[in-house]
Amino acid sequence: MEERTSHKTSRERLSELVSTLREDILTGKRPVGDYLPSEKSFAAQFQLSNQSVRKGLDVLVSEGLIEKIPRVGTKVVGPQNGAFVTVKLGFHSSITGEAGIHQLLSVFQKENPHIRVQAVPTSSTNYISEYMSGGILDVVMMNFMNFQECVENGTEGLLEPMERNPELYSFLSDAFTVNGRQFVQPFIFSPLILCYNREHFREANLSEPDSSWQWNDLIEYSSRLAIPGERFGFHCDLYSSNRWPLLLLQTGGKFERYEGGRLKLAGTPMMDALRYCGEMKQRIPSLSEGVRTGESELLLAKGKTSMTMTSYFYLNYLLGERVSFDIAPVPHRGTPMTMLLNIGLAINRQSHVKAAAAKLVEFLTGNNAQLFVRQNTYSLPARKSAAEWVGEEKRYLPSRFSLFRETIPGFRYFTDLAISARELSVINQELKTYWAGLETEEALCSLIEDRLAVGSLS
């Protein structure tokens, strides 16, 4: 046994201990009423410290499989009468297609018959703190914006600190870390990318997009590809808070502030970039607010638009569609950068089934689940080896699928603009009327600066 475990990490050996004992109990190899060997015996068998063994046994205690009896020993007490642990997982409904979550949960429950997962889909962006504090969820899927809101509200304490997983991209884990403690384990991610119909470019005798493209190139090609009454040249929800900050990030600048800390907008490069976003409406007539989720991608699939700015997540709307598409880096304004979308899994610190919840998170970020995401969807798994897997593909794969690897140095979050999640939300709300031509630039700056005044509760 020592020879077999000597090359494994401490985490792997601990997982092996827990899995072996759990299987022995569930299959009856260790029947109810039997007492387990001493912690010292397990420590020697699995090359673990007594403290690590104790942690492993605590997992099985929380699952109701064993009971620690003081001064007597550890007794097998389950499973009894088909008893099982229920873990409530909260996730955004779109993740169903973006990561095949239901298929993954089905596999998890087959491997862990003593754990039932209750999937709780939600489209609300404000549910996390309420659901966690109320004990409604045990595990929650959250994006970078959600996490920033938790940090700003001081509610990250509702999340169970996690051990950093070196198998996941470090830049994803860094985003969910505060003061040296990680609270969310990365699951899937995506930079913003440009997706286009290759046939349309061939028919128009135009070269395909590449990393040299600036926004003026996209505007020009959009005009040349568009066919009135038949298709758009470019279509996307540029005015989503997951899209327009990209143009500001590409300036390489940050939001300025007055001496007291209040956000300054009038006469700044950030206002110039916001004005440029609005001007694109006149230059690309197909741009509009309120585009439904997946609408642009489905238009591309039907040949009704030649290009869209999207993410690897939304490429899943093209799965199974008969369209020859490829991807390219997003256009820039002199500085190649793209906005990064990062989705992870957090555990409720107050959960009564934390051990089972941790096992679910471990499974979803493990090699098999992450490889499933890579092989069956267009989403990028957080595990480096899975994201960069090369093998026989089960579905059409754009020739430049792996371009994300070369663009990693240009990945940016909205926080690189030196604004908070609350400030981004307020700016986003006020920009709608400005871009619609119903608000002057002067009025916009005044409204945003006043609403974001230090101490304002609006």
Side-chain angles (χ1 to χ4, degrees):
M1 182 63 71
E2 292 181 2
E3 180 69 19
R4 182 165 62 90
T5 60
S6 59
H7 297 296
K8 295 181 179 179
T9 65
S10 175
R11 178 191 296 182
E12 289 172 329
R13 295 194 298 272
L14 178 56
S15 177
E16 183 180 7
L17 164 66
V18 175
S19 298
T20 300
L21 287 177
R22 182 187 290 117
E23 183 175 358
D24 287 351
I25 294 171
L26 292 174
T27 58
K29 188 175 180 180
R30 293 185 185 274
V32 174
D34 272 14
Y35 284 86
L36 298 182
S38 66
E39 293 178 357
K40 185 176 180 181
S41 298
F42 285 132
Q45 181 181 353
F46 291 89
Q47 293 186 349
L48 294 166
S49 67
N50 287 348
Q51 183 179 10
S52 293
V53 170
R54 204 164 296 123
K55 288 181 179 179
L57 294 180
D58 286 342
V59 171
L60 300 177
V61 170
S62 72
E63 295 176 2
L65 298 178
I66 62 175
E67 176 187 9
K68 290 185 177 180
I69 304 175
R71 295 185 295 278
V72 176
T74 304
K75 184 179 181 180
V76 177
V77 296
Q80 298 178 347
N81 301 321
F84 54 82
V85 176
T86 298
V87 174
K88 288 163 288 189
L89 167 68
F91 67 99
H92 194 282
S93 55
S94 67
I95 209 70
T96 302
E98 292 169 10
I101 192 67
H102 290 303
Q103 294 97 312
L104 288 174
L105 294 181
S106 178
V107 173
F108 173 78
Q109 294 192 171
K110 286 179 181 177
E111 295 181 359
N112 301 272
H114 62 293
I115 302 176
R116 300 287 177 87
V117 179
Q118 180 183 344
V120 184
T122 175
S123 59
S124 170
T125 58
N126 302 317
Y127 70 95
I128 293 177
S129 295
E130 298 174 8
Y131 280 20
M132 297 288 265
S133 59
I136 298 173
L137 298 176
D138 300 298
V139 178
V140 64
M141 201 169 284
M142 62 169 62
N143 59 30
F144 179 71
M145 171 75 81
N146 301 146
F147 180 65
Q148 284 300 307
E149 290 170 345
C150 283
V151 173
E152 291 170 24
N153 296 333
T155 56
E156 74 273 18
L158 293 172
L159 311 179
E160 180 75 10
M162 295 183 167
E163 185 177 343
R164 192 180 187 89
N165 187 339
E167 300 300 321
L168 309 184
Y169 284 108
S170 59
F171 62 86
L172 299 177
S173 298
D174 290 343
F176 292 128
T177 301
V178 177
N179 297 325
R181 292 199 300 173
Q182 184 177 325
F183 293 95
V184 182
Q185 204 71 276
F187 176 49
I188 55 176
F189 74 100
S190 175
L192 292 184
I193 52 176
L194 187 68
C195 181
Y196 59 95
N197 185 314
R198 303 188 72 181
E199 292 299 326
H200 290 183
F201 277 80
R202 291 194 187 105
E203 291 167 3
N205 198 28
L206 295 173
S207 59
E208 297 183 13
D210 57 41
S211 58
S212 71
W213 266 37
Q214 297 197 24
W215 287 102
N216 284 338
D217 294 306
L218 181 139
I219 293 169
E220 178 190 346
Y221 275 61
S222 173
S223 175
R224 295 169 69 178
L225 287 162
I227 300 177
E230 183 176 328
R231 75 181 184 218
F232 301 122
F234 178 70
H235 186 279
C236 87
D237 186 8
L238 179 66
Y239 305 104
S240 158
S241 58
N242 278 333
R243 299 291 185 269
W244 64 260
L246 169 65
L247 278 79
L248 279 63
L249 287 164
Q250 290 178 343
T251 68
K254 300 178 185 294
F255 276 93
E256 298 177 24
R257 295 183 184 273
Y258 292 104
E259 187 173 338
R262 184 163 58 96
L263 198 74
K264 180 181 180 181
L265 195 54
T268 67
M270 291 297 101
M271 187 60 237
D272 294 340
L274 291 174
R275 187 187 311 113
Y276 184 78
C277 287
E279 291 170 354
M280 286 182 70
K281 261 193 171 185
Q282 280 69 52
R283 304 180 69 182
I284 307 179
S286 56
L287 288 182
S288 61
E289 295 135 18
V291 175
R292 295 189 305 275
T293 300
E295 179 180 342
S296 298
E297 292 73 20
L298 291 175
L299 284 174
L300 189 137
K302 295 174 181 178
K304 298 302 181 182
T305 187
S306 299
M307 298 181 288
T308 183
M309 181 167 66
T310 184
S311 67
Y312 281 82
F313 300 151
Y314 281 10
L315 288 183
N316 288 297
Y317 284 97
L318 301 176
L319 273 174
E321 298 288 346
R322 294 186 176 183
V323 56
S324 176
F325 71 92
D326 214 329
I327 60 175
V330 289
H332 55 82
R333 300 180 68 194
T335 306
M337 287 184 188
T338 189
M339 195 167 177
L340 179 60
L341 311 176
N342 188 357
I343 298 176
L345 298 152
I347 296 173
N348 188 343
R349 200 168 193 171
Q350 300 175 19
S351 170
H352 296 297
V353 292
K354 277 196 288 188
K359 188 164 187 64
L360 175 60
V361 172
E362 181 181 357
F363 168 80
L364 291 173
T365 56
N367 186 65
N368 290 342
Q370 292 278 288
L371 200 55
F372 174 90
V373 171
R374 168 61 181 81
Q375 294 174 342
N376 294 275
T377 77
Y378 287 129
S379 299
L380 296 173
R383 182 172 283 254
K384 189 174 187 291
S385 61
E388 300 180 11
W389 173 85
V390 176
E392 184 178 353
E393 298 291 346
K394 299 179 180 179
R395 71 280 188 264
Y396 171 80
L397 198 74
S399 66
R400 304 178 68 188
F401 183 84
S402 62
L403 71 79
F404 72 91
R405 296 178 59 190
E406 284 67 50
T407 57
I408 287 176
F411 288 178
R412 298 291 186 273
Y413 294 105
F414 73 88
T415 48
D416 289 298
L417 294 169
I419 55 171
S420 66
R422 173 181 173 269
E423 288 171 330
L424 176 63
S425 176
V426 169
I427 294 171
N428 192 60
Q429 292 167 22
E430 298 297 343
L431 281 173
K432 302 299 182 181
T433 51
Y434 168 67
W435 281 328
L438 303 176
E439 196 83 80
T440 66
E441 185 173 313
E442 182 180 359
L444 172 75
C445 293
S446 178
L447 277 169
I448 291 177
E449 291 179 4
D450 289 346
R451 284 194 63 184
L452 294 177
V454 175
S456 172
L457 298 177
S458 61

